Amino acid sequence: MDFAYDARTEQLRGQLLAFMDEFVYPAEKVFAEQVAEAAAAGRIWARPPVIDELKAEARRRGLWNLFLPKHPDGGGLTNLQYAPLAEITGHSPSIAPEALNCAAPDTGNMELLAEFGTAQQQERWLKPLLDGKIRSAFCMTEPGVASSDASNISTSIERTDNGEYVINGRKWWSSGAMDPRCEILIVMGKTGPEGERHRQQSMILVPRDTPGVQVERGMHVFGYTDAAHGGHAEIEFRDVRVPGANLIAGEGDGFAIAQARLGPGRIHHCMRQVGAAERALRLMCQRVSGRTAFGKPLADQGVIGDWIAESRVRIEQARLLVLKTAWLMDTVGNKGAHREIQAIKIVTPAMAEWVIDKAIQAHGAGGVSQDFPLAHLWASARSLRFADGPDEVHKRSLARRELRSHSELRSHSELRSHSELRSHS
């Protein structure tokens, strides 16, 4: 197996690393200052102007929509080619993904519209998203039910006699919906509550300014507003009416669409977490090399060396597994890579959380302060352990697959043994 990146990936990695060094890392302080200034002025959800400057520069350099493979305005990259680029953006997750127009939830929403949207839906919503002119939100999780089982989702999407759909329900953790530039919501709800369990759900496009859409508050993540990511909104839908043409694909297709959307998204999330862990390890090495305690550098303390070595091992293991998963998605599709997609979702956020935690410990009080990115990186890693499905759900499903495989192998073995016994008798 050839572990080297291909020529196209190496070229883009070089361009992106240069962009990070020349523009993104220097912009982090400016970004923080602009966020603080906007919050002080009561504009907590306003986007810092530096982001638009970075987007213009990224687009000029051809670092734009790299995540989207099968679209004229996309990067034309495979999952395996894009994965190392997503890792690099994970070094500065509040800035770099959006600068490249590769930030969630817009990436998943654009993939969804590109694959399942009608020509009209693509022209109205996908095009401005690809141009970076608007933002979007994905409304799936609900506060009133255990959303880890998506069949519990209770928001109703009812078709009227005149062909409209009426939406009623409450969503929360609708990422991106607090951003003033968010213009479109993709809402998942029930169109066929009496139907087969995984055919009850549908997805529909709801313009944010539709009457009856009430954005009530922004949710906090470990005390962070996540305003830099457009926030996470709690939204009430009260008798919201939209045209029948706003339905995505068909009634009952919601689960299938969700699975198609989540496959590439998990590659993106996981590789960004690998990048976050790499940055945490780099910061830890810098910190312990320049600090002295109890008469010798922190780097010479045995436990610190253990943390650094263990961090390197864990990062490499996670990266290889995610790259293997990306390769499988490219070669056998999401369904063929389902086992590995679940595995990376379990392993990678936990790995990043562990590495970042050790970097925080090495920084002492500075590690939990705003002077370093570690506290926010840790909060993101920890929250990802239940975003897009909690660890326990993925482990449960993965265990069932393993048991089923074991049962099938045992059955085949027994049949072969029985056949061999009959041939000898």
Side-chain angles (χ1 to χ4, degrees):
M1 183 178 290
D2 184 0
F3 288 94
Y5 298 135
D6 66 16
R8 176 66 172 149
T9 305
E10 284 290 11
Q11 175 194 358
L12 287 169
R13 284 186 74 250
Q15 292 176 236
L16 182 53
L17 288 168
F19 178 67
M20 296 288 288
D21 289 338
E22 295 172 29
F23 292 93
V24 174
Y25 297 130
E28 287 181 337
K29 184 178 179 181
V30 178
F31 178 87
E33 290 172 350
Q34 291 179 350
V35 168
E37 290 169 2
R43 296 180 293 107
I44 189 173
W45 307 110
R47 297 301 293 145
V50 71
I51 289 292
D52 288 331
E53 297 170 13
L54 291 170
K55 289 170 78 170
E57 181 62 27
R59 194 163 193 173
R60 188 184 70 79
R61 293 178 174 224
L63 299 171
W64 192 255
N65 290 336
L66 297 174
F67 72 96
L68 192 60
K70 300 175 183 178
H71 193 278
D73 294 323
L77 304 176
T78 65
N79 287 297
L80 186 59
Q81 289 174 315
Y82 177 67
L85 308 177
E87 176 183 341
I88 294 171
T89 66
H91 286 239
S92 188
S94 295
I95 297 179
E98 187 178 354
L100 275 59
N101 210 38
C102 293
D106 294 329
T107 48
N109 292 342
M110 286 188 272
E111 288 169 332
L112 187 158
L113 287 168
E115 185 170 353
F116 300 101
T118 64
Q120 180 185 13
Q121 291 169 351
Q122 291 173 355
E123 178 65 25
R124 177 63 185 90
W125 301 114
L126 177 58
K127 191 174 187 302
L129 283 168
L130 287 167
D131 287 340
K133 294 179 178 178
I134 66 171
R135 300 285 316 263
S136 62
F138 187 68
C139 304
M140 182 172 178
T141 306
E142 298 180 0
V145 299
S147 299
S148 56
D149 178 357
S151 65
N152 285 333
I153 287 170
S154 60
T155 292
S156 65
I157 304 175
E158 297 182 354
R159 190 176 182 89
T160 66
D161 291 339
N162 65 1
E164 287 185 322
Y165 284 96
V166 180
I167 303 156
N168 283 283
R170 181 177 293 271
K171 299 289 187 179
W172 70 345
W173 298 104
S174 299
S175 299
M178 301 304 297
D179 191 322
R181 295 170 302 168
C182 177
E183 294 189 15
I184 187 66
L185 314 174
I186 296 180
V187 181
M188 185 165 175
K190 285 188 176 178
T191 48
E194 305 304 322
E196 189 271 323
R197 183 165 172 256
H198 289 96
R199 292 286 302 168
Q200 297 177 5
Q201 312 283 350
S202 301
M203 289 193 190
I204 197 162
L205 291 159
V206 179
R208 191 175 182 271
D209 60 359
T210 305
V213 175
Q214 181 63 43
V215 178
E216 297 197 339
R217 61 171 177 161
M219 308 301 299
H220 289 189
V221 183
F222 290 102
Y224 292 101
T225 63
D226 261 2
H229 299 291
H232 312 280
E234 181 170 359
I235 307 175
E236 182 177 3
F237 298 86
R238 185 181 301 170
D239 294 328
V240 175
R241 293 178 176 269
V242 297
N246 285 28
L247 190 73
I248 301 173
E251 290 190 9
D253 290 337
F255 265 93
I257 296 171
Q259 288 303 310
R261 180 185 185 277
L262 288 173
R266 285 174 180 152
I267 294 289
H268 307 169
H269 276 313
C270 288
M271 286 304 284
R272 283 195 291 263
Q273 287 300 305
V274 171
E278 281 285 8
R279 186 165 189 193
L281 177 56
R282 185 176 71 193
L283 290 170
M284 176 161 52
C285 290
Q286 292 172 352
R287 184 75 166 186
V288 301
S289 297
R291 291 272 170 146
T292 298
F294 305 105
K296 59 181 179 181
L298 285 177
D300 292 342
Q301 306 287 351
V303 68
I304 301 291
D306 183 78
W307 292 348
I308 292 171
E310 185 69 21
S311 294
R312 172 49 60 205
V313 170
R314 294 187 185 210
I315 290 171
E316 294 299 329
Q317 289 175 329
R319 179 188 288 115
L320 286 172
L321 182 56
V322 181
L323 290 175
K324 176 197 174 186
T325 306
W327 172 74
L328 283 171
M329 288 173 64
D330 291 335
T331 53
V332 297
N334 288 10
K335 189 173 181 179
H338 195 267
R339 189 191 312 251
E340 285 76 11
I341 291 172
Q342 289 178 314
I344 64 173
K345 183 61 175 60
I346 296 165
V347 166
T348 315
M351 173 280 296
E353 181 188 342
W354 189 92
V355 173
I356 297 164
D357 178 75
K358 296 300 176 284
I360 290 172
Q361 196 72 6
H363 280 72
V368 297
S369 76
Q370 70 270 41
D371 290 349
F372 298 91
L374 295 169
H376 195 253
L377 290 177
W378 183 90
S380 296
R382 179 61 187 86
S383 60
L384 195 57
R385 288 181 52 202
F386 48 78
D388 290 350
D391 291 353
E392 292 73 20
V393 170
H394 292 293
K395 288 179 179 179
R396 174 174 174 265
S397 178
L398 190 55
R400 285 180 171 180
R401 285 176 172 270
E402 286 298 313
L403 289 168
R404 187 162 58 246
S405 297
H406 174 75
S407 177
E408 290 170 356
L409 284 172
R410 185 175 62 185
S411 297
H412 292 157
S413 177
E414 289 172 353
L415 285 171
R416 186 168 59 251
S417 298
H418 182 67
S419 177
E420 290 173 353
L421 180 64
R422 291 187 62 186
S423 66
H424 287 302
S425 61

